[in-house]
């Protein structure tokens, strides 16, 4: 199984542990990640708002790199999934594709021809790898640790998301948690916005949005949250002190990236998953897993 790997900007900077854990899990599952040298930022919504044609051209360049390798794209970021998928959808229109290829100076074999699919790691795990193979790799079941999903507001808005989940009432992360031998915990705020973009509107809106979501998860009994988006992770983890102040109480909720969650269940050393880089310690979760550990051969 091979994919053109697009980690996005956050996984190569503030959230390097997302890239590290993705590569560790891919190696465990024998998924070959082919790096896309020269791929540009997806635009993260900012470029789409200010210069939509330039954003489309940038993502057409990334899709062309994958096309040249004959591969579909695997992302690990909700924002990258949204904006690359939107570009891929727009570029299925022949007139749009011709206009963008002309702007990029691409013609003949180097022109983007359409057809490249963009998949988030969550979709790849559930659909391409599949439940049977995932379950076979679980050596440290998540057991009684109550895992809350935090989908964020971008991943499920991406064109094609309905192919692997129901955007209005998603269940894919909960399904993954069950496959990993765990206990998914439903709560109301799991599809809320984390507030990543809110500082452009109000300085304390991010704290209020993230504080409300974290408090709902805490009140529902979550031990930790798992998210498919590094932007949500940055807000919920690194910004949790401010979120706690906004919520009026200490929250102390560990936040894991999806591949870290899978990696822990696969028995991969936590150090290889980069959990030590988090602001809110993941040590209590690892302690619970070790206390109930039934490691399979």
């Amino acid at each position: 199984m091979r994919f053109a790997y697009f980690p996005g900007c956050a996984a190569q900077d503030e959230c390097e542990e997302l890239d590290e854990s993705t590569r560790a899990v891919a190696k465990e599952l024998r998924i070959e990640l082919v790096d896309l040298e020269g791929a540009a930022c997806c635009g993260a919504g900012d470029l789409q708002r200010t210069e939509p044609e330039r954003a489309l051209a940038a993502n057409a360049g990334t899709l062309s790199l994958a096309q040249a390798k004959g591969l579909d794209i695997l992302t690990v970021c909700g924002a990258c999934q949204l904006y690359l998928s939107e570009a891929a959808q727009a570029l299925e229109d022949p007139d749009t594709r011709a206009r963008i290829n002309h702007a990029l100076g691409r013609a003949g074999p180097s022109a983007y021809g359409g057809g490249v699919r963009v998949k988030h790691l969550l979709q790849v795990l559930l659909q391409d790898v599949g439940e049977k193979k995932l379950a076979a790799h679980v050596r440290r079941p998540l057991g009684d640790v109550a895992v809350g999903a935090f989908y964020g507001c971008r991943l499920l808005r991406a064109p094609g998301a309905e192919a692997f989940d129901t955007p209005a009432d998603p269940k894919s992360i909960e399904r993954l948690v069950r496959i990993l031998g765990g206990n998914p915990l439903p709560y109301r705020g799991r599809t809320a916005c984390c507030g990543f973009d809110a500082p452009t509107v109000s300085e304390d809106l991010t704290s209020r949005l993230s504080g409300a979501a974290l408090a709902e998860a805490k009140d529902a009994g979550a031990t930790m949250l798992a998210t498919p988006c590094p932007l949500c992770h940055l807000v919920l983890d690194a910004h949790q002190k401010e979120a706690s102040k906004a919520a009026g109480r200490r929250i102390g909720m560990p936040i894991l990236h999806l591949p870290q969650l899978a990696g822990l269940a696969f028995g991969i050393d936590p150090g290889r998953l980069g959990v030590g880089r988090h602001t809110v310690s993941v040590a209590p979760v690892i302690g619970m897993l070790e206390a109930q550990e039934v490691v399979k051969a």
Side-chain angles (χ1 to χ4, degrees):
M1 190 181 304
R2 302 174 78 228
F3 287 94
Y5 179 45
F6 186 83
C9 301
Q12 298 177 85
D13 190 6
E14 302 100 323
C15 295
E16 289 179 351
E17 72 279 1
L18 173 56
D19 179 58
E20 295 168 4
S21 56
T22 299
R23 292 182 187 276
V25 165
K27 183 177 180 181
E28 173 77 14
L29 296 172
R30 297 187 178 182
I31 300 172
E32 183 180 354
L33 300 177
V34 179
D35 292 321
L36 290 176
E37 299 292 339
C41 171
C42 73
D46 297 328
L47 192 60
Q48 279 77 5
R49 283 188 291 273
T50 58
E51 299 182 67
E53 196 76 351
R54 187 177 165 200
L56 185 56
N59 286 320
T62 298
L63 292 164
S64 295
L65 291 173
Q67 175 188 263
K69 296 179 183 298
L71 298 172
D72 289 328
I73 290 176
L74 183 152
T75 75
V76 289
C77 172
C80 296
Q81 181 70 27
L82 172 60
Y83 297 115
L84 276 170
S85 295
E86 285 185 343
Q89 184 182 60
L91 291 164
E92 288 305 300
D93 175 68
D95 293 337
T96 301
R97 195 163 63 240
R99 186 181 77 245
I100 295 299
N101 276 326
H102 177 74
L104 291 171
R106 295 176 183 270
S110 69
Y112 179 59
V116 173
R117 294 178 296 178
V118 183
K119 294 185 175 183
H120 189 279
L121 176 66
L122 176 61
Q123 182 179 8
V124 170
L125 291 178
L126 292 176
Q127 289 189 334
D128 295 82
V129 177
E131 180 172 346
K132 185 176 180 180
K133 184 174 179 180
L134 284 174
H137 283 264
V138 175
R139 294 190 287 273
R140 184 192 290 140
L142 299 178
D144 294 331
V145 178
V147 183
F150 189 86
Y151 289 88
C153 60
R154 288 183 169 90
L155 175 64
L156 297 170
R157 289 164 45 206
E162 65 279 358
F164 73 98
D165 211 334
T166 304
D169 184 22
K171 293 183 172 61
S172 52
I173 296 178
E174 286 83 354
R175 182 183 163 210
L176 177 64
V177 171
R178 287 193 189 91
I179 295 170
L180 299 176
N183 171 31
L185 185 94
Y187 68 102
R188 197 177 65 174
R190 64 201 180 101
T191 57
C193 173
C194 69
F196 181 83
D197 293 323
T200 60
V201 179
S202 168
E203 288 189 359
D204 69 344
L205 184 55
T206 299
S207 301
R208 287 188 280 122
L209 289 172
S210 56
L214 287 163
E216 285 184 359
K218 187 85 171 181
D219 290 344
T223 303
M224 66 174 176
L225 296 184
T227 180
C229 181
L231 305 186
C232 295
H233 188 277
L234 280 171
V235 172
L236 297 175
D237 179 58
H239 194 73
Q240 197 171 125
K241 184 178 179 180
E242 291 76 8
S244 294
K245 288 180 181 176
R249 56 177 160 144
R250 182 182 180 277
I251 294 176
M253 181 73 70
I255 314 294
L256 270 70
H257 300 286
L258 276 188
Q260 290 178 320
L261 186 73
L264 288 175
F266 292 164
I268 297 173
D269 187 291
R272 289 181 57 207
L273 302 172
V275 296
R277 298 187 76 244
H278 292 202
T279 299
V280 179
S281 175
V282 182
V285 172
I286 294 173
M288 291 178 69
L289 291 175
E290 291 176 345
Q292 64 183 18
E293 191 165 14
V294 180
V295 178
K296 298 180 180 178

